[in-house]
Amino acid sequence: MIEGALVLEGGALRGVYTSGVLDVFIKNNIEFECVVGVSAGALNAMNYVTKQYGRSARINLEYHNDPNYIGSKALVKNKGIIGFDYLFGEISKNKIPFDFEKFKNTKQRFVAVATECENAVPTFFEKTNCNDLFKAVQASSSMPLASKMVEINGKHYLDGAVTVSVPVEWAIEQGYKKIVVVLTRDKNYRKPLVSNKMKHLYKLAYHKYPQLLTKLYTMPERYNELQKKIANLEKSRKNRCYQATKRSNSF
């Protein structure tokens, strides 16, 4: 096992790219001591630590048109565009079974990043601080406006990317010297600023969470700055930080 951290960006269906990278790792028995994922990155990480080759890609390729998974029926039942009940229920138990026992007993450190809405800070969920990692992964993957907040221990959570899009700095702070970052956009991609229309929608939805609004408004600037830092780390190899990045075309 590699004494290092594997850092996985989110990106909804762009996560199919990440699933391909992880399948190569599984096929070649490449294991990292720690796997930390945001949003779709956390969902992919679940299948990586259970060594279920091809599972992540199969779910998204076979069920992306199923309204129970993504769409109208999911919206009715889950109050959000993603049917997490269907994903963790019917799909994971019957259609494309998930190895729940192996996930429970994995020796790898599994971390899912979500945004705590009241204070607009990232929360790094793992076995040591969370009894329901499936709920934590759901929180990590709950996109603003497209999903309802997820309640865990009396607090409300949304997509981890609101506060930490790529948790490479967390991995460094944890003391990992070898870090592999898997992005789902071209490494030269930079996000445009949040439009006034989008700010208005955010304000309508989250006016009770002023600190969260600030984070939502500034997501592009913080994302772009982080990409510069990652590029500099890769260039200097100060922390042996490498990137596997997606080509500019999107899924």
Side-chain angles (χ1 to χ4, degrees), residues 26-205:
I26 292 172
K27 188 175 183 179
N28 290 278
N29 297 313
I30 299 173
E31 290 184 312
F32 290 83
E33 180 181 301
C34 175
V35 187
V36 53
V38 177
S39 197
L43 288 166
N44 271 307
M46 294 177 69
N47 298 300
Y48 171 67
V49 299
T50 55
K51 306 300 179 287
Q52 291 184 266
Y53 182 90
R55 185 175 184 273
S56 287
R58 278 193 63 195
I59 290 173
N60 286 314
L61 293 175
E62 294 181 19
Y63 291 94
H64 68 278
N65 286 323
D66 187 334
N68 291 293
Y69 178 41
I70 302 175
S72 58
K73 291 184 179 180
L75 188 63
V76 170
K77 189 173 182 180
N78 289 256
K79 307 301 180 184
I81 196 170
I82 303 296
F84 290 104
D85 287 349
Y86 186 60
L87 172 61
F88 293 135
E90 181 65 17
I91 291 178
S92 294
K93 293 178 180 178
N94 300 313
K95 296 180 180 296
I96 309 179
F98 179 70
D99 195 334
F100 291 93
E101 191 65 23
K102 196 166 186 178
F103 180 73
K104 179 182 177 181
N105 297 315
T106 180
K107 294 181 180 179
Q108 288 176 280
R109 188 180 179 190
F110 174 87
V111 184
V113 188
T115 295
E116 192 254 281
C117 298
E118 281 80 3
N119 297 297
V121 294
T123 299
F124 296 82
F125 288 108
E126 52 184 317
K127 289 180 181 179
T128 57
N129 63 7
C130 182
N131 294 322
D132 190 347
L133 286 177
F134 293 96
K135 184 67 70 174
V137 171
Q138 178 181 341
S140 177
S141 307
S142 294
M143 297 176 288
L145 301 180
S147 304
K148 68 174 183 178
M149 291 180 178
V150 176
E151 185 174 343
I152 301 175
N153 296 328
K155 295 183 178 181
H156 298 87
Y157 295 88
L158 282 174
D159 198 316
V162 175
T163 47
V164 180
S165 55
V166 187
V168 64
E169 293 178 316
W170 174 88
I172 293 171
E173 291 170 358
Q174 291 289 301
Y176 293 106
K177 301 301 181 183
K178 295 180 180 179
I179 301 171
V180 171
V181 179
V182 182
L183 303 179
T184 56
R185 293 187 185 275
D186 183 87
K187 64 182 180 181
N188 294 314
Y189 172 80
R190 297 294 181 267
K191 287 188 176 183
L193 300 181
V194 177
S195 66
N196 288 331
K197 181 178 180 179
M198 185 59 68
K199 286 183 178 180
H200 179 65
L201 291 175
Y202 283 146
K203 190 171 184 179
L204 285 175

